[in-house]
Amino acid sequence: MNTIIFGEGLERVAVRPITSDIFWITHCLGDKAQDIYKNYFGMLPNAADYSGHRIVDYPFSAFLVRDEKSLMIDTGAPRQQANTLKAVEYVLGDKSLDYIWISHVELPHAGNAPVLKRRYPQAQYMTVRGGEQYALHGLEGAQLMAPGEVINLGKHQLESVEPLFVDHGLSQWAYERTTGFMFTADWAHNLHEPAKNECFMFLDEMENAGYSADLHCDDVKVNAWYQFPWLKWTDPDEVCAAVDTFFARYDTKILAPSHGNIIRGDMARYVPLIKEGMRQAIAM
Amino acid sequence: MIRNIVGDVYQIGEYVEGSYGYEAVLVYVIMNHQHPILIDCGSQLHRAGIMQEINSLLAGHTPEYIFLTHSELPHAGNLQQVAKQWPNIKVIVSNVMLPYIEIAPILPLSQITSEAAGKTINIGGRTLKFVFATLKDQPGSQWVFDTQTGILFTGDGFGYYQSAEQIGKFSDEVEGGIREIQFRDYHRTAFHFLRWVLPEKFNPDLDAIFAQLPVKIIAPIHGDAIRSDIPTHVARLKQAVANIRNVV
Ligand SMILES: [Fe+2]
Ligand SMILES: [Fe+2]
Ligand SMILES: [Fe+2]
Ligand SMILES: [Fe+2]
């Protein structure tokens, strides 16, 4: 199966297999990106690099693990609801969806949970233990996982991971033990250029077409700076040490952030680059 | 519960119980003569009560603007209801938010404007100033300062848990005001990133806001308005941030 695209513009959703059974379900704007991101990147010191000669785009992704039991990692946002549902149905066919696993409760991550639950009523909401007021955040009845707890799907085992860098208080990342697939939600993502057909590409495909390590590092920096405005109050050595400890603990073969192109392997090359991006974001 | 904070500014909303006591989920209403402004619109769980309170306060007037401190459900969950009753209402959000995807598609995007921190807006003769949200759980969060009353609306920032007896009381109606431990318990759960934050880097940024703005009242969404002794409460918040870092 190649990339399948449903809808267009603000509502467009693509689905693409990462492994034979893990699917990337993602929205990005393509040729509409310039209109939306012109202001968004306007406050950067080097704004022209992001809205001028290099017109970048920013994906919003969910991931679907198809197995004896199937699981969605996040759900996408309500504006893409109809096409997200089409993508899920396309992958699952007449199989059921068993788990709706939520990294955190923002709309672009959890906003389609109710419609998925209506379409697949047997699906169980899964989210992170340790918080309160789940009903207030729209997750009434969710089953709660502590970091280290695992959902057994058949061939795949999805472990809840204590996140390093978060915005919302109730957040989790996920690690799939069989494939080494690591989901890091809002952290460690690059940007891509629709004009270079980089929408829905894997990162290695972008690199083959000229995306450089320098650009990648700069993108990680900019995204971290936007996503985690608190980074400027941290100690860069402490942050980088935590990144090292994290990847030493989790043997990561696929890095799948919510808002970037997917990295398929060679993490030894990417970890130093991501750390450098973080270091620069802290200094911004 | 409707309470007048000062002048023409009111707080309404609900309180939810948790292991630390009660957490307020408030909406602020600036009556502003014929040009009412809402600050957030509360949780969908409290829809009926909140809409009833807003309507009784407005007494037939139409809110012109709603400022969303950010788009999470406890803050924006009633937007659908608000838009249904007042379909021409204009929404203001931070310029770092992406309304097309971070706000449910229930209003035309042309009714949503994005404003940068530092900018001011004049609504019916009243000047509001947008302020960088020092404490936030979404990048697209923003604080707003009402120059007429000196109220700084701080979204999730400056929230605190309260006891049953404290519900609906302003800080000056509580013996000793809001305690450091109340700020600490709330901020530790709301802002997990504070375990990374070094107080010596954070404090000057928070202090700068209060040096620049003549803040008389702090109005968080998750705590009743803080009407007394702003320097003491800011100092307690900084102490809470330091304690979260040191005690994890
Ligand atoms: Fe995100
Ligand atoms: Fe794209
Ligand atoms: Fe929040
Ligand atoms: Fe909140």
Side-chain angles (χ1 to χ4, degrees):
Chain A
M1 167 184 159
N2 288 319
T3 306
I4 313 278
I5 298 171
F6 299 95
E8 58 181 31
L10 305 193
E11 284 155 26
R12 154 178 107 146
V13 173
V15 56
R16 183 175 183 187
I18 302 170
T19 69
S20 55
D21 291 301
I22 300 180
F23 295 83
W24 184 21
I25 296 178
T26 186
H27 157 74
C28 65
L29 287 163
D31 57 13
K32 293 269 184 298
Q34 185 175 20
D35 304 342
I36 298 280
Y37 292 114
K38 207 163 35 199
N39 295 329
Y40 191 67
F41 291 112
M43 66 201 277
L44 278 173
N46 53 340
D49 289 349
Y50 295 92
S51 51
H53 67 269
R54 183 171 173 244
I55 295 161
V56 290
D57 196 2
Y58 191 85
F60 293 82
S61 305
F63 300 91
L64 177 54
V65 186
R66 184 178 61 187
D67 204 327
E68 286 162 36
K69 300 271 186 196
S70 293
L71 176 147
M72 259 311 252
I73 294 178
D74 282 351
T75 71
R79 191 170 294 275
Q80 295 84 32
Q81 175 179 301
N83 291 322
T84 302
L85 214 50
K86 282 182 195 163
V88 173
E89 286 170 346
Y90 183 87
V91 170
L92 289 181
D94 49 19
K95 287 173 75 79
S96 68
L97 180 67
D98 302 284
Y99 298 101
I100 302 167
W101 183 100
I102 301 298
S103 69
H104 60 307
V105 293
E106 288 166 8
L107 222 52
H109 294 268
N112 289 328
V115 73
L116 281 164
K117 177 84 177 157
R118 275 200 297 278
R119 170 65 181 82
Y120 300 100
Q122 75 285 8
Q124 172 67 48
Y125 288 160
M126 305 296 294
T127 194
V128 61
R129 187 180 296 283
E132 297 188 351
Q133 313 306 351
Y134 290 93
L136 207 53
H137 289 284
L139 289 174
E140 197 157 27
Q143 197 174 314
L144 305 181
M145 300 177 77
E149 279 184 37
V150 173
I151 307 172
N152 191 343
L153 301 173
K155 286 180 295 189
H156 300 84
Q157 269 89 44
L158 196 92
E159 177 181 342
S160 171
V161 170
E162 170 93 53
L164 287 180
F165 311 112
V166 300
D167 48 17
H168 197 267
L170 271 181
S171 294
Q172 60 179 341
W173 292 354
Y175 179 67
E176 199 293 298
R177 289 176 170 177
T178 307
T179 54
F181 171 96
M182 174 62 79
F183 166 78
T184 54
D186 288 336
W187 181 60
H189 47 281
N190 67 308
L191 296 161
H192 67 274
E193 294 180 63
K196 293 185 178 168
N197 293 319
E198 290 171 346
C199 296
F200 322 129
M201 272 191 181
F202 298 129
L203 198 95
D204 52 288
E205 296 167 340
M206 286 173 61
E207 289 172 327
N208 289 338
Y211 184 73
S212 68
D214 280 352
L215 269 184
H216 189 182
C217 182
D218 197 52
D219 286 349
V220 168
K221 171 192 79 176
V222 164
N223 286 324
W225 180 75
Y226 256 116
Q227 197 74 45
F228 309 120
W230 49 267
L231 275 176
K232 62 179 168 179
W233 302 314
T234 64
D235 171 1
D237 293 334
E238 186 185 3
V239 164
C240 289
V243 172
D244 279 331
T245 307
F246 183 84
F247 285 111
R249 172 168 177 188
Y250 296 100
D251 182 12
T252 300
K253 300 198 173 73
I254 300 168
L255 186 70
S258 299
H259 307 294
N261 299 75
I262 308 304
I263 293 178
R264 302 186 291 183
D266 207 3
M267 283 308 295
R269 188 157 67 80
Y270 293 109
V271 171
L273 182 156
I274 291 168
K275 277 193 300 181
E276 179 56 26
M278 291 301 280
R279 204 174 271 285
Q280 291 179 17
I282 293 167
M284 260 173 98
Chain B
M1 186 190 305
I2 301 177
R3 288 218 62 194
N4 176 241
I5 302 170
V6 70
D8 65 347
V9 185
Y10 293 80
Q11 69 167 50
I12 63 176
E14 308 269 344
Y15 301 80
V16 293
E17 194 177 1
S19 59
Y20 292 97
Y22 287 83
E23 178 179 346
V25 187
L26 301 183
V27 175
Y28 291 97
V29 182
I30 306 176
M31 299 300 285
N32 200 29
H33 305 295
Q34 310 298 317
H35 309 278
I37 302 160
L38 306 178
I39 313 281
D40 285 350
C41 56
S43 163
Q44 71 286 354
L45 292 185
H46 308 140
R47 178 179 302 154
I50 284 178
M51 293 309 288
Q52 192 202 329
E53 289 185 335
I54 295 177
N55 274 300
S56 95
L57 254 181
L58 293 179
H61 291 301
T62 300
E64 193 166 327
Y65 280 92
I66 176 166
F67 174 81
L68 293 178
T69 63
H70 60 311
S71 65
E72 281 172 9
L73 287 178
H75 302 261
N78 281 323
L79 190 61
Q80 184 151 22
Q81 206 59 29
V82 166
K84 197 167 157 196
Q85 189 175 349
W86 300 291
N88 297 320
I89 195 164
K90 286 172 258 180
V91 182
I92 307 178
V93 297
S94 155
N95 66 326
V96 180
M97 190 196 279
L98 289 169
Y100 96 90
I101 198 157
E102 292 189 64
I103 293 182
I106 47 189
L107 277 165
L109 285 172
S110 57
Q111 271 171 250
I112 306 177
T113 39
S114 303
E115 297 290 352
K119 289 267 171 61
T120 55
I121 185 174
N122 188 297
I123 299 172
R126 194 176 200 117
T127 303
L128 299 178
K129 183 174 175 124
F130 303 104
V131 179
F132 178 85
T134 313
L135 289 159
K136 59 184 144 203
D137 62 8
Q138 276 185 321
S141 306
Q142 195 150 273
W143 294 355
V144 66
F145 180 67
D146 174 25
T147 55
Q148 183 172 312
T149 58
I151 301 180
L152 179 63
F153 298 94
T154 52
D156 284 339
F158 283 88
Y160 58 90
Y161 296 124
Q162 47 200 143
S163 64
E165 305 74 59
Q166 214 187 323
I167 283 178
K169 291 192 176 139
F170 301 125
S171 62
D172 51 298
E173 298 166 340
V174 176
E175 177 80 41
I178 313 307
R179 289 169 299 131
E180 181 273 327
I181 183 75
Q182 292 178 274
F183 285 130
R184 192 201 313 167
D185 286 340
Y186 169 81
H187 285 73
R188 188 178 39 226
T189 41
F191 305 117
H192 276 198
F193 61 79
L194 284 175
R195 68 188 167 111
W196 295 103
V197 167
L198 307 173
E200 63 271 25
K201 291 188 173 183
F202 169 80
N203 290 347
D205 282 358
L206 187 68
D207 287 338
I209 288 173
F210 290 89
Q212 282 158 21
L213 299 171
V215 177
K216 296 200 186 82
I217 296 170
I218 298 171
I221 294 298
H222 303 299
D224 295 309
I226 300 168
R227 298 198 302 188
S228 56
D229 204 355
I230 296 304
T232 299
H233 284 105
V234 172
R236 286 176 187 169
L237 186 108
K238 289 191 286 188
Q239 188 59 51
V241 168
N243 287 342
I244 291 166
R245 164 76 182 172
N246 296 329
V247 180
V248 166

